[in-house]
């Protein structure tokens, strides 16, 4: 998946972000698109919508696995970097539930970034 296919894929999977994505001037900017997915996932976590939280994680994991280098960098530098902040508002039990929804391959990228940053 290239950065050019990212917007279409997100809108197909999560129609609720279509309006926000259509407001982006450059739909080919993977960082802006991943920021939208990050915000949406944060919103689902705050609303305790476990099904959509899990769906967002799976979509991002698939994009990370199939994405080109720009897509991978965007996901690593925006979403994975923000994951701690996303779960920060949760209590301990909710935090564990959210982190348990992170797919295995995606979680290893999260751990790698945590250890890399110190």
């Amino acid at each position: 998946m290239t950065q050019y296919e990212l917007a279409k894929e997100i809108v197909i999977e999560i129609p609720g972000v279509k309006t926000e994505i259509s407001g982006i001037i450059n739909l080919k900017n993977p960082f802006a698109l991943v920021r939208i997915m990050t915000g949406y996932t944060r919103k689902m976590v705050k609303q305790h919508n476990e099904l959509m939280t899990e769906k967002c994680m799976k979509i991002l994991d698939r994009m990370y696995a199939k994405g080109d280098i720009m897509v991978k960098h965007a996901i690593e530098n925006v979403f994975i970097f923000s994951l701690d902040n996303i779960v920060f508002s949760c209590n301990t039990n909710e935090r564990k539930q959210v982190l348990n929804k992170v797919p295995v391959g995606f979680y290893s990228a999260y751990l790698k970034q945590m250890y890399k940053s110190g």
Side-chain angles (χ1 to χ4, degrees), residues 1-2 5 60-68 71-72:
M1 174 181 306
T2 68
E5 300 165 320
L60 286 160
D61 179 56
R62 187 177 67 242
M63 290 176 176
Y64 185 74
K66 294 181 178 181
D68 65 12
V71 171
K72 287 181 190 270

Side-chain angles (χ1 to χ4, degrees), residues 7-49:
K8 183 179 177 184
E9 182 77 17
I10 291 171
V11 170
I12 289 170
E13 294 287 339
I14 304 179
V17 298
K18 183 177 183 176
T19 305
E20 198 170 350
I21 286 179
S22 65
I24 296 176
I25 294 171
N26 183 0
L27 289 177
K28 296 172 181 123
N29 181 343
F31 290 88
L33 295 168
V34 173
R35 266 188 228 102
I36 290 171
M37 281 295 295
T38 301
Y40 187 78
T41 304
R42 180 180 290 116
K43 179 179 172 183
M44 293 300 105
V45 168
K46 284 183 179 180
Q47 291 178 357
H48 308 287
N49 188 334

Side-chain angles (χ1 to χ4, degrees), residues 72-91:
K72 287 181 190 270
H73 282 308
I75 292 172
E76 287 172 357
N77 293 314
V78 177
F79 185 81
I80 293 175
F81 186 77
S82 299
L83 194 53
D84 274 343
N85 190 13
I86 290 170
V87 297
F88 181 73
S89 63
C90 302
N91 66 41

